[in-house]
Amino acid sequence: MSTTGRRAGTFCLLLIVALLVQATRVQVVRAPEYDSSPANRRQMIIRYAQPRGSILVDGHRITGSEASHGMLRYRRTYPEGPLYAAVTGYSSQIYGNSLLEGVEDGVLSGTDPRLAGFPLWSAVTRKPQPGGDVVTTIDAAAQRAAFQAMDGKRGAVAAVEPATGRILALVSTPSYDPGSFAGSSGADRRAWQALQTDPLQPMLDRALRQTYPPGSTFKVVTAAAGLSAGVYPDPDVRTDSPEPLPLPNSDRVLTNEAPGCLDATLRLALARSCNTVYAKLGVDVGLPGMVRAAEGFGFNDGGLRVPVGVAKSVFDTRMDRAQLALSSIGQYDTRATPLQMAMVAAGVANGGKVMRPRLVDRLTRADGTAVALMSEQVYRQAVAPGVAAELRSMMEDVVTEGTGANARIPGAVVGGKTGTAQNGVGNSGTPYAWFIGYAGPDGAAPKVAVAVVIEDSAARRADISGGGLAAPVARAVMAAVLGMV
């Protein structure tokens, strides 16, 4: 072969090697970069080339997929969108995913490697797996009862099963239809924009992602702290509480809405919701004891997931004694999600043991075979069983003889605590109406614990109360779970 021929051959070989190197760089080394590039539509096309898996409640599919005529073949549907929006979140071709649709996106979209029967073969063939399903813990009757009872009100409901931590209902109102912007059309964009600019914030998940001053419902935590610390030997000892109560190191005094709070016992003070008794009790327990009690129920935990992330409920760890007094009655900087306050009621109902709340029972393949099973886990031992029994007795008196009468359910044992929390500077805003409680058949363990908060109401300011507005909502949810509607 001539020298020219050898040089030409060598040059061609170098070109082939360079081509192979470049192909390897593009297809292997830089593949993740190209796959994640916003300009790469291929991944989007693949994602929406098949129906998405379903989210299930009581065996019923509360989400679906429908064929569209665009490049993205399937869009998400929500047959009862507003009813379950606080559970499902949304899955949008433009705006991504949220809540369960986001946390469990791998299973629902079919990209989770656990869905593949033979992972190595699936990786080689790159054949898309059908989307799997997410089976929730939600009780359909409880969810519907909560949603209907909250009609026209702004606020939230969270209900859990005390013995297992299974979340039975999550409602946030006003709600929205996740299907209204699930596609990629101009109508979808307009629907999204309308929701973003709505002053009522319908897309805010008030049950999990919004915190409120819990008001007098927090007195259950303060009672737990006082009884655990032995400040009083039992709930029926007179407390030597003045009325009004001068706040320590302050020129302010704390008063009561109800009469008969002077030196009231913890039991009577809970039934009548005496501020002075529980503010003084919090100061007597002291900051370390109050922090310990609050954190025993889940306050100050910024890592709680159900598996959706939950906003951190807060009880300050640095306060003076006057601030501690106000915090002990659920004011000052104390903040809680509705789920957190449902956990307080559930912990009391479950003998002082708070179970880790969870929204998902299992994840399955499209054929129904399980890829993950979720079981109950102990989250915290908030109080000793004996203290929990005393708290239950006190909370049941709140319903039978105190401010929680509107939560009564014939044939059931109901315990609860009402609250009306101040809102705004100098209490200038509309107060928040609260109720937390639990219920079970007479002679049996409680089956449901619930928290209800109502942000606003058409009622006159003087008529806004947890017992008047929130307790009837809680009663409807608890009765639905017990089958005593």
Side-chain angles (χ1 to χ4, degrees):
M1 181 182 292
S2 66
T3 301
T4 302
R6 286 196 302 271
R7 288 176 177 173
T10 302
F11 181 68
C12 290
L13 180 61
L14 290 174
L15 288 177
I16 292 171
V17 171
L19 181 62
L20 291 173
V21 170
Q22 175 65 2
T24 301
R25 188 179 74 88
V26 171
Q27 296 184 25
V28 178
V29 178
R30 300 192 65 185
E33 177 186 342
Y34 291 135
D35 283 345
S36 61
S37 171
N40 183 5
R41 294 278 290 171
R42 182 171 176 271
Q43 292 299 319
M44 284 282 287
I45 293 170
I46 293 174
R47 168 181 279 272
Y48 294 105
Q50 65 178 8
R52 189 171 172 83
S54 297
I55 298 174
L56 283 74
V57 168
D58 285 348
H60 171 66
R61 298 179 185 276
I62 61 171
T63 61
S65 296
E66 66 179 9
S68 61
H69 302 293
M71 185 181 297
L72 307 180
R73 289 188 57 195
Y74 288 93
R75 63 172 280 161
R76 198 58 151 161
T77 60
Y78 299 86
E80 300 177 278
L83 174 61
Y84 291 107
V87 176
T88 62
Y90 59 81
S91 180
S92 169
Q93 293 175 352
I94 306 174
Y95 303 109
N97 310 303
S98 73
L99 301 182
L100 276 186
E101 291 276 31
V103 173
E104 303 297 354
D105 178 63
V107 170
L108 294 166
S109 65
T111 59
D112 191 312
R114 293 175 295 178
L115 298 176
F118 301 97
L120 181 59
W121 177 250
S122 298
V124 171
T125 62
R126 305 192 72 176
K127 180 181 179 181
Q129 295 295 324
D133 294 337
V134 176
V135 180
T136 73
T137 60
I138 295 294
D139 180 305
Q143 183 77 9
R144 191 170 297 278
F147 190 75
Q148 292 175 347
M150 288 293 289
D151 182 42
K153 306 176 182 70
R154 188 164 75 240
V157 180
V160 300
E161 188 174 62
T164 65
R166 297 172 72 250
I167 297 175
L168 303 177
L170 281 179
V171 164
S172 176
T173 53
S175 189
Y176 68 100
D177 181 6
S180 65
F181 55 89
S184 54
S185 69
D188 292 285
R189 296 177 188 275
R190 289 190 293 274
W192 171 270
Q193 187 59 33
L195 288 167
Q196 296 302 301
T197 57
D198 190 327
L200 297 181
Q201 297 181 284
M203 293 186 70
L204 173 62
D205 189 338
R206 292 170 165 85
L208 299 179
R209 300 284 179 81
Q210 179 75 340
T211 60
Y212 303 87
S216 291
T217 60
F218 191 81
K219 291 171 183 172
V220 174
V221 178
T222 303
L227 292 169
S228 297
V231 174
Y232 299 105
D234 63 64
D236 298 304
V237 173
R238 299 192 70 83
T239 58
D240 190 27
S241 302
E243 184 183 17
L245 174 70
L247 293 177
N249 304 318
S250 169
D251 58 0
R252 295 180 58 191
V253 296
L254 188 64
T255 59
N256 298 301
E257 296 289 334
C261 292
L262 179 66
D263 295 336
T265 66
L266 295 184
R267 182 185 303 277
L268 181 62
L270 197 71
R272 294 185 178 178
S273 203
C274 297
N275 291 330
T276 52
V277 173
Y278 280 93
K280 177 179 180 294
L281 178 61
V283 174
D284 290 343
V285 169
L287 182 58
M290 284 300 302
V291 170
R292 187 163 51 249
E295 292 182 349
F297 285 102
F299 282 79
N300 297 336
D301 181 359
L304 182 63
R305 305 187 68 83
V306 296
V308 176
V310 181
K312 181 170 72 172
S313 297
V314 177
F315 187 83
D316 279 357
T317 58
R318 292 185 176 183
M319 291 183 279
D320 62 29
R321 296 174 73 225
Q323 293 164 342
L324 177 59
L326 295 175
S327 295
S328 299
I329 59 171
Q331 296 291 167
Y332 184 55
D333 285 341
T334 304
R335 306 279 299 187
T337 63
L339 178 63
Q340 172 61 77
M341 295 313 296
M343 291 165 63
V344 170
V348 172
N350 194 42
K353 186 183 298 180
V354 182
M355 303 302 290
R356 183 173 294 277
R358 58 186 174 92
L359 186 53
V360 175
D361 255 344
R362 63 188 182 277
L363 307 175
T364 74
R365 298 182 179 90
D367 62 7
T369 58
V371 296
L373 300 173
M374 287 66 178
S375 59
E376 55 261 28
Q377 298 178 2
V378 176
Y379 173 64
R380 305 274 171 83
Q381 183 70 45
V383 293
V387 171
E390 292 176 322
L391 292 171
R392 281 180 60 173
S393 174
M394 294 164 65
M395 291 177 71
E396 287 161 18
D397 280 357
V398 170
V399 174
T400 58
E401 302 176 14
T403 58
N406 283 336
R408 294 174 185 166
I409 301 172
V413 175
V414 181
K417 182 67 190 83
T418 59
T420 306
Q422 294 182 1
N423 175 30
V425 178
N427 196 23
S428 58
T430 303
Y432 299 128
W434 276 93
F435 183 87
I436 67 170
Y438 60 83
D442 194 4
K447 302 297 184 184
V448 56
V450 65
V452 177
V453 62
I454 296 174
E455 292 184 23
D456 68 344
S457 169
R460 293 185 305 114
R461 182 185 178 92
D463 296 332
I464 295 174
S465 69
L469 296 176
V473 177
R475 179 187 60 212
V477 177
M478 294 187 293
V481 173
L482 300 178
M484 296 180 174
V485 179

